[in-house]
Amino acid sequence: MKWSGLIVVSLVVFSNASRAGEPPVSPGKRVLSSYQLESKKQFREAIEAIMPAYLEAKGDYFLNLRLGWLFYLQGTYPNSLEHYRAALRLESEAIAPRQGLIAVYAAQGKWSEVASEAGNILHSYPGHLQTQQAMVRALIEQKNWPQGLEKVNAYLKSDPIDLTLMEQKANVLVEMKKEILLEDHLKRLLLAYPLDAYARNLKSFSRP
């Protein structure tokens, strides 16, 4: 269901309820209903549940963020991007809308856009771990191994045993064919995470 269709449906539902003399449903109840529907993976219904509250609010940060997430789950990426951007316009320093944009761009395979948005977050919040991971993944997906190694080494200084970053570094070292560095890195990784399947497979593969 497209954006315009959702507005029409929501307005019709809202109008019919008003004509019937029913008491209006509070925005909080609509949000709660959307969470309940989301838990059942009924994303279209969750969007329809929250839309009247969004239309009444006429520019609310949280409701735009919520709709961005629901449209993302539904796979309607243009609408998701629209709402995440709207949320960002309302709260320009907030991290969550940019994280939403990163998730959508990653789902679309737009890795240069992922790197760009990650860079925007890290400019203001350089220690944001989830965004650091997204930046390294974007560089890996673009096969930019040298910059990927540079970034992951820098990020590991603040969190030397973050599993995702350690696995990402191993990935980069494999692609760069740095066997000695890889072997040393895998020792540290498996010391911290002895059962990590990714590292164990690499360790086995790297043996002569």
Side-chain angles (χ1 to χ4, degrees):
M1 182 177 291
K2 295 181 180 179
W3 166 257
S4 57
L6 278 173
I7 292 179
V8 170
V9 169
S10 300
L11 285 174
V12 169
V13 170
F14 190 74
S15 176
N16 287 344
S18 299
R19 284 199 300 268
E22 298 177 2
V25 179
S26 70
K29 287 185 178 180
R30 291 192 178 280
V31 171
L32 176 60
S33 176
S34 78
Y35 282 128
Q36 294 168 337
L37 291 163
E38 178 193 344
S39 70
K40 301 174 185 176
K41 300 188 183 302
Q42 297 176 2
F43 305 129
R44 180 177 63 83
E45 292 80 359
I47 292 167
E48 291 178 354
I50 205 174
M51 188 61 71
Y54 167 78
L55 293 173
E56 280 188 46
K58 296 181 179 178
D60 179 83
Y61 169 79
F62 166 72
L63 293 175
N64 272 294
L65 198 66
R66 180 87 182 114
L67 283 168
W69 171 246
L70 290 171
F71 277 119
Y72 165 74
L73 292 176
Q74 191 185 41
T76 312
Y77 298 138
N79 290 353
S80 179
L81 290 172
E82 179 181 343
H83 284 286
Y84 280 133
R85 287 169 181 154
L88 190 59
R89 286 193 296 270
L90 291 165
E91 297 288 347
S92 60
E93 296 184 20
I95 295 177
R98 291 195 186 279
Q99 287 182 301
L101 294 174
I102 286 172
V104 176
Y105 289 140
Q108 295 176 315
K110 296 181 178 180
W111 298 107
S112 61
E113 285 87 345
V114 170
S116 177
E117 288 300 336
N120 287 330
I121 294 175
L122 293 171
H123 178 75
S124 299
Y125 307 97
H128 195 265
L129 179 60
Q130 186 177 351
T131 305
Q132 292 174 343
Q133 296 166 351
M135 174 65 86
V136 177
R137 183 186 176 194
L139 294 170
I140 289 173
E141 294 289 348
Q142 294 177 93
K143 303 185 187 304
N144 189 342
W145 315 122
Q147 191 174 2
L149 183 59
E150 178 185 344
K151 292 290 187 184
V152 77
N153 280 336
Y155 299 153
L156 281 168
K157 289 180 181 178
S158 59
D159 195 345
I161 60 168
D162 175 71
L163 176 58
T164 298
L165 289 176
M166 294 186 84
E167 288 183 341
Q168 288 175 327
K169 180 173 180 177
N171 187 347
V172 172
L173 292 173
V174 168
E175 296 295 341
M176 296 182 75
K177 296 180 170 53
K178 293 185 177 291
E179 290 86 358
I180 296 175
L181 290 176
L182 175 62
E183 184 176 357
D184 182 61
H185 178 64
L186 288 177
K187 288 178 181 178
R188 294 198 302 273
L189 200 165
L190 287 168
L191 178 63
Y193 304 98
L195 299 180
D196 183 62
Y198 179 76
R200 287 165 68 90
N201 288 338
L202 282 182
K203 185 72 173 176
S204 175
F205 179 77
S206 65
R207 287 173 183 165

